[in-house]
Amino acid sequence: MSNPLLKKFTTYNETAPFSQIKTKHFKPAFIEGIKNAKAEIDAITNNTNVPTFENTIEALEFSGQQLNRISSIFFNLNSAETTDDIQQIAQEISPLLTEFSNDITLNEVLFKRVKLVYQIKDDLNLTPEQDMLLTNKYKSFVRNGANLNEDQKTELRKIDTELSKLKLKFGENVLAETHDFELHLTNKTQLSGLPEGTIEAAELTAKQKEKDGWVFTLDYPSYVPFMTYADDRNLRKQMAIAFGAKAFRNNKNDNQQIVLDIANLRYKRANLLGYKSHAHFVLEERMAETPENVISFLDDLLVKAKPAAIEEFNKIETLAKKDGINHLEKWDSAYYSEKLKKELFDLEEEKLKPYFKLENVIEGVFQISKKLYDLQFEEITTIEKYHEEVKTYKVTDTSGNYVAILYADFFPRKGKRNGAWMTSFKNQWKKDNENSRPHISIVCNFTKPTKTKPSLLTFNEVTTLFHEFGHALHGMLANTTYPSLSGTSVFWDFVELPSQIFENWCYQKDALNLFAKHYETNELIPMELIDKIKKSSNFLEGMQTLRQLSFGILDMDWHSKNPSEIKNVKEFETASFKNTQLFSDVKENCMSTSFSHIFQGGYSSGYYSYKWAEVLDADAFSLFLEKGIFDKETALKFKANILEKGGTIKPMDLYTKFRGQKPTNEALLKRAGLLK
């Protein structure tokens, strides 16, 4: 039986052969891929020549490409198109991949060769990129246990294997809990306040589930409008409690023990490697450098944001009191925030949506990318997709040179996790005189089209699309020699700069005029609505900032201290939220048990980076505002110094090359209206 995942690609620009891949192909492909990658490592360690940058560092960098390809296809499907069988395979192969990773970083002969090259690096006349690659390779060995004794290495392997299984199980439980709940309504009066499109989508969901009436779920396009518009407070409460109780219900999908186990194993691992905590280990390779710096950064913003947040909370509560609600609860927040926005700015989300038809917003993103970075996007049907809803594009520059392949997957469905993310099926690199281009994917969960309406985005969904597209630009425009330094392979607190800066164009008249057209009349978005969007851009910024800070603080509390004394996840979390809490606690709810960013994704000890990157993006965009939002010189400077360079140079050096100075908090606080 031929396995399409093991097919030799005649060119690395070939895309994934999705139609040929069956679930049964994955495990054999991983086993063979690991075997082949091990043979490539053996070739390096068995080389009797003196270790050089080329025969050791470069050879190591380009080893395991077949395995990387298999992994990217498999784990992307596990996020966007999973099944019980795929989840089972993930549980089986994750320990194998962890073991393989440990086999490399704990390989004494290989480390000895890397160390010998590292010790003479100053005499090698390396380029800055080669120097960065060598430093990263050496550090990755040291930071993953190369200097440990045999007993310690065995212990490290055990911890890493256990962590890989626990993180997968955490994500599976959250997905199962998301799909386990539905609010099934059959009485039309219970739909009071809900927009027509939301009702229609709920009716469609009910039909798909072979039920009468309307079904609302915990998927964002269903949950968010329900919480924002439903007049029935008890139903909002029911939805909010279900959303906040994910994996915290003492059932088979409960994550409480998993959270404790992950935190303790991370701490143990950090100690084993000589670090005070997991946060100390992680932040050594971040712009922030230490937990103390992160905590100081978060505390500084907390001082500025909290008074504004309390003031905003009081305004919402005052509004709710007019409806006889004397105590504002979490399930009242979005509902009365929307009413307050309407009162203050005469701006309703539903009035904006007709101007943000998904296809128009996509076209807008493409046009803005063309104006800034000379990119062109052509939808193609010649490459395979993993689901019929996925759109595929060939990306070229304005001279017709091939830049990238882009996959775009926009709607929620069973087997797809919540949220939005950018990922890749193939990195960019340069080898044998060829610039091998990347295959990038963006995955979102937007409102689906219905029988009577196309997919009309909320303004929040518009900014989400721009955000993920900013990440995609970072991946697509990558122009480095080595895959591990390419695209988004940068310090974690720098990776959000390209995504967050791109959101700024959503608020600019000249950008909105490119795509914000009424889906029925094609009329451009009226200037008065643009003015209202701009005026409301920092609406409830204090509360939003406080919320983000609370997540960053919770992350640091889990990871910057010894967690062995924590016996109760909920009690620990409540104490962590003490200084950032505005709403009364809901005993049935727990954030940590579904906090996928830090317990499944890569944001452990890094959630602060969203705010950190906001400082960078506000400071960087102020230059665009000064020169013009489509100023070519500024855009090309950003492209050359940020988007193309990946992790080849330290991020602060890249930033100052673009900006001419280091960033300060001032631009962010000014933009957020928090600077008095």
Side-chain angles (χ1 to χ4, degrees):
M1 176 189 75
S2 69
N3 190 325
L5 289 161
L6 294 169
K7 167 188 169 224
K8 285 266 188 281
F9 289 96
T10 52
T11 161
Y12 271 103
N13 285 327
E14 279 185 56
T15 54
F18 291 114
S19 69
Q20 300 164 43
I21 300 168
K22 304 283 182 279
T23 305
K24 65 182 180 184
H25 291 138
F26 281 114
K27 196 171 179 185
F30 273 111
I31 290 166
E32 185 69 17
I34 288 170
K35 190 178 110 185
N36 295 340
K38 278 182 174 173
E40 290 170 347
I41 298 298
D42 289 344
I44 299 169
T45 56
N46 294 334
N47 190 335
T48 53
N49 294 327
V50 174
T52 64
F53 181 83
E54 289 75 18
N55 73 20
T56 301
I57 307 305
E58 274 193 344
L60 179 58
E61 172 70 358
F62 285 105
S63 69
Q65 285 189 311
Q66 181 191 54
L67 181 59
N68 291 342
R69 194 101 194 239
I70 297 163
S71 295
S72 69
I73 292 170
F74 177 77
F75 286 106
N76 283 331
L77 290 181
N78 193 33
S79 291
E81 190 63 15
T82 198
T83 61
D84 290 345
D85 289 343
I86 285 178
Q87 290 183 6
Q88 179 58 40
I89 293 166
Q91 287 289 353
E92 290 168 15
I93 56 100
S94 284
L96 301 180
L97 290 170
T98 301
E99 187 184 353
F100 170 67
S101 175
N102 286 150
D103 284 344
I104 293 176
T105 53
L106 301 178
N107 183 321
E108 288 180 27
V109 180
L110 185 60
F111 177 52
K112 195 176 172 188
R113 289 184 71 91
V114 170
K115 195 173 182 178
L116 282 167
V117 180
Y118 183 74
Q119 284 169 337
I120 58 163
K121 80 183 183 98
D122 292 343
D123 305 325
L124 296 178
N125 198 24
L126 300 174
T127 66
E129 185 175 351
Q130 289 172 326
D131 186 79
M132 182 65 83
L133 182 71
L134 174 54
T135 302
N136 284 1
K137 291 291 180 208
Y138 175 73
K139 274 187 178 178
S140 79
F141 278 88
V142 174
R143 283 169 56 79
N144 286 289
N147 287 328
L148 300 178
N149 64 38
E150 284 312 309
D151 286 347
Q152 290 170 322
K153 284 179 180 178
T154 303
E155 176 70 4
L156 186 76
R157 283 177 182 273
K158 202 174 139 195
I159 289 171
D160 285 349
T161 301
E162 192 55 29
L163 275 171
S164 74
K165 288 179 179 175
L166 286 168
K167 289 198 287 184
L168 271 175
K169 185 66 183 148
F170 181 95
E172 286 168 13
N173 287 347
V174 173
L175 186 65
E177 288 282 281
T178 303
H179 291 144
D180 191 48
F181 175 87
E182 63 177 45
L183 180 68
H184 181 206
L185 303 180
T186 52
N187 183 344
K188 202 165 187 180
T189 60
Q190 293 174 305
L191 305 174
S192 172
L194 291 172
E196 188 189 319
T198 304
I199 293 169
E200 204 175 339
E203 190 174 13
L204 189 66
T205 305
K207 277 196 180 118
Q208 287 165 349
K209 292 175 178 278
E210 297 180 347
K211 294 183 176 179
D212 294 331
W214 305 269
V215 168
F216 297 90
T217 69
L218 300 182
D219 288 323
Y220 289 139
S222 179
Y223 178 76
V224 173
F226 193 92
M227 297 306 296
T228 308
Y229 298 107
D231 291 330
D232 191 319
R233 193 183 188 213
N234 285 326
L235 292 178
R236 294 202 310 269
K237 179 179 178 179
Q238 204 177 321
M239 285 285 274
I241 288 177
F243 191 88
K246 283 182 290 191
F248 182 63
R249 299 192 295 146
N250 295 306
N251 60 5
K252 64 176 184 175
N253 299 324
D254 195 276
N255 272 340
Q256 289 173 83
Q257 191 56 50
I258 290 176
V259 164
L260 292 171
D261 290 345
I262 289 173
N264 278 289
L265 284 168
R266 283 173 172 168
Y267 179 75
K268 217 167 148 187
R269 186 184 196 278
N271 283 178
L272 193 61
L273 292 166
Y275 294 87
K276 196 174 163 188
S277 72
H278 178 67
H280 287 84
F281 169 77
V282 169
L283 292 163
E284 183 181 68
E285 293 293 284
R286 299 285 195 266
M287 290 177 80
E289 296 177 343
T290 67
E292 292 73 24
N293 286 346
V294 171
I295 291 160
S296 165
F297 169 74
L298 295 172
D299 285 348
D300 179 54
L301 286 177
L302 182 60
V303 168
K304 310 281 197 315
K306 196 170 179 179
I310 291 168
E311 200 178 304
E312 290 161 3
F313 180 84
N314 291 338
K315 281 180 186 170
I316 297 171
E317 195 163 52
T318 302
L319 189 62
K321 278 178 180 166
K322 291 178 184 174
D323 287 350
I325 294 170
N326 293 318
H327 188 68
L328 200 69
E329 300 282 6
K330 281 181 182 172
W331 43 88
D332 300 315
S333 178
Y335 182 75
Y336 283 102
S337 294
E338 183 63 20
K339 284 190 180 302
L340 183 63
K341 189 197 264 186
K342 187 174 185 299
E343 194 176 277
L344 292 177
F345 308 104
D346 188 28
L347 183 65
E348 289 176 83
E349 194 66 73
E350 284 303 303
K351 280 187 179 167
L352 292 178
K353 280 172 72 175
Y355 295 96
F356 296 122
K357 179 181 164 185
L358 174 61
E359 289 77 5
N360 290 347
V361 181
I362 295 166
E363 190 50 42
V365 156
F366 291 168
Q367 284 192 55
I368 291 165
S369 302
K370 184 177 183 178
K371 280 177 171 289
L372 293 170
Y373 307 121
D374 296 324
L375 293 177
Q376 298 189 132
F377 298 82
E378 178 197 351
E379 187 168 3
I380 53 173
T381 54
T382 50
I383 64 170
E384 296 186 12
K385 313 169 178 192
Y386 57 85
H387 190 278
E388 60 185 10
E389 288 179 349
V390 175
K391 290 181 174 293
T392 47
Y393 301 89
K394 183 182 179 185
V395 188
T396 57
D397 63 21
T398 43
S399 304
N401 299 308
Y402 170 58
V403 172
I405 291 293
L406 175 67
Y407 298 84
D409 182 358
F410 291 119
F411 305 119
R413 58 180 175 267
K414 194 178 186 308
K416 183 178 182 182
R417 67 178 168 90
N418 246 336
W421 62 95
M422 166 268 179
T423 182
S424 68
F425 285 102
K426 181 201 160 296
N427 281 349
Q428 173 272 336
W429 65 77
K430 293 175 189 170
K431 196 181 180 193
D432 303 329
N433 297 318
E434 184 191 357
N435 190 335
S436 186
R437 300 309 302 165
H439 303 167
I440 302 299
S441 175
I442 54 171
V443 189
C444 305
N445 281 279
F446 293 149
T447 309
K448 278 187 166 185
T450 64
K451 272 184 187 172
T452 62
K453 283 191 178 69
S455 174
L456 300 176
L457 304 188
T458 64
F459 190 69
N460 189 46
E461 287 176 323
V462 174
T463 59
T464 297
L465 179 53
F466 271 73
H467 180 99
E468 298 310 330
F469 203 83
H471 280 310
L473 287 167
H474 201 184
M476 291 186 290
L477 290 168
N479 195 26
T480 64
T481 304
Y482 303 112
S484 71
L485 299 176
S486 176
T488 56
S489 301
V490 298
F491 277 9
W492 209 264
D493 44 11
F494 192 62
V495 79
E496 294 297 332
L497 167 60
S499 55
Q500 289 184 186
I501 194 172
F502 205 58
E503 290 181 41
N504 288 283
W505 274 266
C506 299
Y507 297 93
Q508 301 300 315
K509 178 181 182 292
D510 289 350
L512 284 166
N513 280 344
L514 294 173
F515 66 91
K517 296 167 187 170
H518 197 285
Y519 78 101
E520 288 175 318
T521 65
N522 221 26
E523 170 209 1
L524 268 183
I525 189 167
M527 192 62 215
E528 61 173 300
L529 279 182
I530 295 178
D531 287 342
K532 286 173 184 179
I533 289 171
K534 288 194 80 135
K535 277 178 189 161
S536 66
S537 62
N538 55 18
F539 174 63
L540 299 188
E541 188 65 47
M543 284 176 73
Q544 295 294 346
T545 301
L546 200 66
R547 182 172 178 269
Q548 285 291 96
L549 295 176
S550 74
F551 296 164
I553 291 164
L554 178 64
D555 173 30
M556 293 310 292
D557 283 346
W558 272 116
H559 294 115
S560 65
K561 301 161 192 166
N562 181 353
S564 63
E565 298 301 309
I566 305 166
K567 301 299 175 220
N568 185 302
V569 173
K570 172 74 175 179
E571 284 175 13
F572 175 78
E573 180 176 292
T574 304
S576 177
F577 283 155
K578 195 178 154 197
N579 287 334
T580 54
Q581 192 172 336
L582 294 173
F583 295 93
S584 299
D585 180 57
V586 179
K587 69 177 191 307
E588 300 94 333
N589 287 182
C590 183
M591 168 77 186
S592 299
T593 55
S594 61
F595 200 172
S596 299
H597 274 75
I598 69 168
F599 288 113
Q600 184 195 8
Y603 280 85
S604 63
S605 305
Y607 201 85
Y608 74 90
S609 58
Y610 282 103
K611 274 289 159 205
W612 186 276
E614 270 189 59
V615 169
L616 298 177
D617 107 64
D619 186 72
F621 191 65
S622 65
L623 186 63
F624 277 98
L625 287 174
E626 186 189 314
K627 305 282 188 183
I629 66 161
F630 291 120
D631 179 62
K632 209 55 172 217
E633 191 186 337
T634 308
L636 293 179
K637 222 166 143 190
F638 190 77
K639 178 184 174 188
N641 291 299
I642 310 289
L643 298 175
E644 290 185 342
K645 286 288 191 293
T648 56
I649 296 170
K650 284 187 174 176
M652 192 55 85
D653 293 343
L654 287 177
Y655 186 83
T656 47
K657 267 188 175 183
F658 159 68
R659 189 68 178 88
Q661 62 188 44
K662 286 189 174 183
T664 67
N665 285 3
E666 194 174 317
L668 171 65
L669 294 168
K670 206 172 182 179
R671 183 177 74 185
L674 300 175
L675 204 62
K676 298 295 179 199

